[in-house]
Amino acid sequence: MRSPAQQLQQRGSGSNGVVSGRRGATLRGDGYDLIEMEALSPKAARPVNGEVNESLSSSSSSKSDNAKQSMTVAEWLRLEERGLGLMSKKTLLGPVVVELLIEIRSSPTARWSRESLELGNRWEVGDFVDAQDTALKWYEGIIREVTADKVKVHYFGWASKWDATLPRYKNVGTSKLSPPAPLWTKTSRWRERIKVGDSVEVRESNSLAHRPKWYRATVLATGKETDSPTELTGGAELEMNEENEKGTKNPLLLLNRKRQILVRVPQEKNNCPPLAKSPMNPDDSMAVRPPYIRWVNLYGEEVCEANTHISPKEQTNTPATVTYALESERQPVEVMKSFNNIHGAGFVRESLRGVPPAPGAVGLHNLGNSCYLNSILQCINHIEPITQYFLKGNYIKEINKTNPLGSGGRVATAYASFLNDVWAGEYSIIAPRLMKQVIGSFAPQFNNNFQHDSQEFCQFLMDGLHEDLNRVKSKPYVEHMEAFGMEDSKASIESWKKHLLRHDSIFVDHTQGMHRSHLTCPKCGKESIKFDVYSSISLPLVPSKDRPSIPLQDCLDQFAAGEQLDDHNAWYCSRCKKHVCALKLITLWNTPDVLVLHLKRFTFEKCPVTGKLLRKKIVDTVDFPIDRLDLSSYVLGPKFKEAPPIYKLFGVSEHTGSTANSGHYTATVRNSRDGKWYRYNDSHVGSTSGEAAVTGGAYLLFYQRVKGSLRWAGMEKQLTMVQQPQLYRQETYKISVEEDADGFREVRKKGRKKKY
């Protein structure tokens, strides 16, 4: 026969008022546990005719504390030096009243009548708990899912990828992890002891929700629990939010406590605009300057206890950078060379932990004449929409593993890993070994320690990433369309639709445009017009002895003026039935959001004596604009006021040496986060200016649209203009050709025009 039992209740005055236990939930951190008194101490007596089972709030005792000292049951029940009694004395929480009830069962196999009070039987989604991770460390957490024998928890202050499944009950199953424990029975109440001057960890304001980065911060001020919450600005994006009854999402807060603290994050200083000091108050150390100085929720996921993510020796406040002179004529930093004069060869290069001078401004080790690779990676790293696409993990669902022109997604995955390291804020120098190895395995021309043309590598990398992420899984055969005799607007649309049948990726969205190519046979006058897709524009350089530099506009004018093809690029004339040196005129139909200009510095000339082709480099300085490149007069297709073809420079791939396959490559890049310019010479990173990049070494120019964004370089809007012409009046064309179910129009053969 079992003795009568009554339900336990524990009441204690906490920092946010009365905390009371309730069946079936531990949302407020005061859950119960069934404790075998015999396990507390060898001195605890066991009844003769049964087993003892006590229900007590588990926050009243600590497993580690009870394991260290033995005591009698009477001593334990008094709680004068242990558990809640000790806690109430140290934290001045006031008196604690604990009601105990002992239940006795008749045999070891009999069920407890109060089994429903066991902690594992009362977990609910939304309960705050202490949870153990695979390293057997305890963290604050919240229950996200409850099954028959398991509990899924989210660790407070950690990304959801670290969420874990724990056993629901003790001594059940094979897991080495312990079940969740009531909140703050295994972890520290450090938040209640926070004071001005303390060091904490705060999420970097620009860090991604699913991949948080952490910086050290100093507490400047502490609010009270009863204070009205301050509106938070400049903080990090959080992954976990709670939705209230009105559907509004609010940050997840432990026990819904809204106390706030003001913190200063030294590494965020460059991420906020300068603040002019007031003459009445020259000391602005306490002025709120998000994200450098900002308020955060003390019980939220934007702040963690010091040394949670960052070990004491892991971070330094000294950025790993040097300062370059801002003069236009700069000498490259001397890099280490081995005995055979190969840049970076013969040395072990590994990633170096440290603080970069700005987010994403990380040096890259030279792995053996890999400066061409480093130069291009530094430039495309700051194509903001593409970088965010990879960092947020959006690329994963679009990897095309069956595309024979791709790498099965391995190049894209390696590039994503590279970007995650660059933007993690944990490294000052990175060894891009994985990128080089993966690219070399699919492109044998780069699988060596030779120097390579950075323009060729840029083209390969962007094409390779495009094919790895191509949304078209099955490519149909598509013939090139002859546009001679068609309206340009219609021809461009039909050509782009054919392009989309085989190519569709984020690189098509942002980096590909279309130009109009017009060929004329110099003998019979036959003409051919085609609309082709481009991802970079190669501009001819025509040096002049009368000027010290070549204006970029002259290069654009020369590009638009046309050329006569040579014997190596002869065009086949179907009327003459032979290859001819045709007259070729290329006109930009539109321009993408990200525009790459290739300055054709390397040429071949025939030696008048030997007749052999000789390589030559044009070293004249090209004077290109930094903040405003207006291409409106060069674009033949429709233009849109919300996103005009006006660009600003954000990257330059530079070359020193006599040929593209020798010498050395560097890069000057405008940081996409702080807007400042940095020069990258392999592992060396230095501050500079955009004007300093205007030298005779500028080789590839990376521009981005200043205002707005146009998918497919504006072809998406052009398609809309055709489908709904009444919404747009700037175009004069109108197409009345029937479309099929997929929106494609039949291209009818045009009759040959009569000559008069």
Side-chain angles (χ1 to χ4, degrees), residues 40-245:
L40 296 174
S41 167
K43 297 182 181 179
R46 173 180 174 178
V48 177
N49 296 325
E51 293 185 348
V52 175
N53 184 2
E54 285 203 63
S55 293
L56 174 69
S57 168
S58 60
S59 61
S60 67
S61 76
S62 169
K63 178 179 178 181
S64 60
D65 289 343
N66 290 315
K68 292 178 181 178
Q69 296 186 19
S70 61
M71 71 191 80
T72 65
V73 174
E75 289 174 333
W76 181 73
L77 292 176
R78 286 170 59 190
L79 297 175
E80 290 183 356
E81 299 296 332
R82 310 303 314 161
L84 285 176
L86 181 61
M87 181 183 69
S88 65
K89 291 178 180 180
K90 286 188 175 181
T91 58
L92 302 178
L93 295 180
V96 176
V97 177
V98 178
E99 298 178 5
L100 286 178
L101 190 64
I102 297 177
E103 177 184 341
I104 302 176
R105 61 182 181 182
S106 58
S107 69
T109 58
R111 293 178 61 88
W112 296 106
S113 61
R114 299 291 178 178
E115 190 174 283
S116 61
L117 291 180
E118 187 175 355
L119 197 60
N121 290 328
R122 293 183 294 107
W123 293 129
E124 291 183 356
V125 173
D127 286 356
F128 292 104
V129 297
D130 283 351
Q132 196 177 40
D133 70 351
T134 54
L136 304 183
K137 294 182 179 180
W138 288 88
Y139 297 96
E140 299 156 329
I142 183 171
I143 293 180
R144 286 303 186 191
E145 184 179 338
V146 179
T147 62
D149 57 353
K150 295 179 181 179
V151 175
K152 185 176 181 180
V153 297
H154 167 70
Y155 298 100
F156 226 70
W158 294 83
S160 60
K161 67 178 182 179
W162 301 112
D163 291 359
T165 301
L166 306 180
R168 185 172 178 177
Y169 302 99
K170 296 178 181 178
N171 304 321
V172 176
T174 59
S175 176
K176 296 181 180 179
L177 301 180
S178 300
L183 184 64
W184 296 326
T185 59
K186 303 292 185 180
T187 59
S188 169
R189 292 176 174 261
W190 64 273
R191 292 178 175 85
E192 296 177 358
R193 301 188 297 270
I194 200 74
K195 64 182 182 299
V196 174
D198 283 355
S199 177
V200 294
E201 292 181 6
V202 174
R203 287 196 188 207
E204 192 256 339
S205 60
N206 290 321
S207 72
L208 302 174
H210 70 283
R211 188 181 173 85
K213 292 173 286 187
W214 296 87
Y215 291 148
R216 294 197 187 282
T218 303
V219 179
L220 300 181
T222 60
K224 297 180 181 179
E225 192 73 31
T226 55
D227 292 345
S228 298
T230 303
E231 182 179 358
L232 305 182
T233 57
E237 180 184 357
L238 300 178
E239 189 175 16
M240 293 292 177
N241 294 282
E242 290 290 308
E243 189 172 304
N244 59 23
E245 298 176 354

Side-chain angles (χ1 to χ4, degrees), residues 493-494 497 719 723 738-745:
I493 290 175
E494 299 304 324
K497 283 185 174 181
L719 286 167
Q723 295 167 358
E738 293 185 0
E739 295 183 349
D740 60 17
D742 297 323
F744 290 88
R745 303 183 183 87

Side-chain angles (χ1 to χ4, degrees), residues 23 25 52 65 90 92 103 367 447 460 493 522 549 654 671 675:
R23 185 178 183 277
V52 175
D65 289 343
K90 286 188 175 181
L92 302 178
E103 177 184 341
L367 303 177
N447 191 23
F460 167 81
I493 290 175
S549 62
E654 306 156 326
N671 190 280

Side-chain angles (χ1 to χ4, degrees), residues 208-346:
L208 302 174
H210 70 283
R211 188 181 173 85
K213 292 173 286 187
W214 296 87
Y215 291 148
R216 294 197 187 282
T218 303
V219 179
L220 300 181
T222 60
K224 297 180 181 179
E225 192 73 31
T226 55
D227 292 345
S228 298
T230 303
E231 182 179 358
L232 305 182
T233 57
E237 180 184 357
L238 300 178
E239 189 175 16
M240 293 292 177
N241 294 282
E242 290 290 308
E243 189 172 304
N244 59 23
E245 298 176 354
K246 297 181 180 180
T248 304
K249 290 186 177 181
N250 298 311
L252 181 64
L253 301 177
L254 280 169
L255 306 183
N256 200 31
R257 295 184 179 179
K258 299 179 180 179
R259 188 183 178 193
Q260 297 175 332
I261 57 174
L262 182 67
V263 296
R264 178 173 57 225
V265 191
Q267 290 174 291
E268 298 270 32
K269 192 170 185 178
N270 292 330
N271 292 341
C272 63
L275 180 68
K277 292 186 177 181
S278 170
M280 301 296 295
N281 183 20
D283 182 11
D284 63 349
S285 61
M286 293 289 290
V288 178
R289 296 176 57 191
Y292 170 44
I293 298 177
R294 67 181 188 265
W295 287 93
V296 296
N297 287 316
L298 177 59
Y299 287 85
E301 287 200 279
E302 196 175 354
V303 61
C304 279
E305 188 177 13
N307 303 328
T308 299
H309 302 88
I310 308 170
S311 62
K313 297 182 180 180
E314 185 175 316
Q315 192 169 8
T316 174
N317 289 327
T318 304
T321 180
V322 296
T323 301
Y324 286 94
L326 302 184
E327 290 80 11
S328 59
E329 296 298 330
R330 300 168 302 175
Q331 295 298 322
V333 173
E334 183 179 355
V335 294
M336 291 187 294
K337 299 180 180 180
S338 64
F339 69 95
N340 58 0
N341 209 36
I342 295 178
H343 284 280

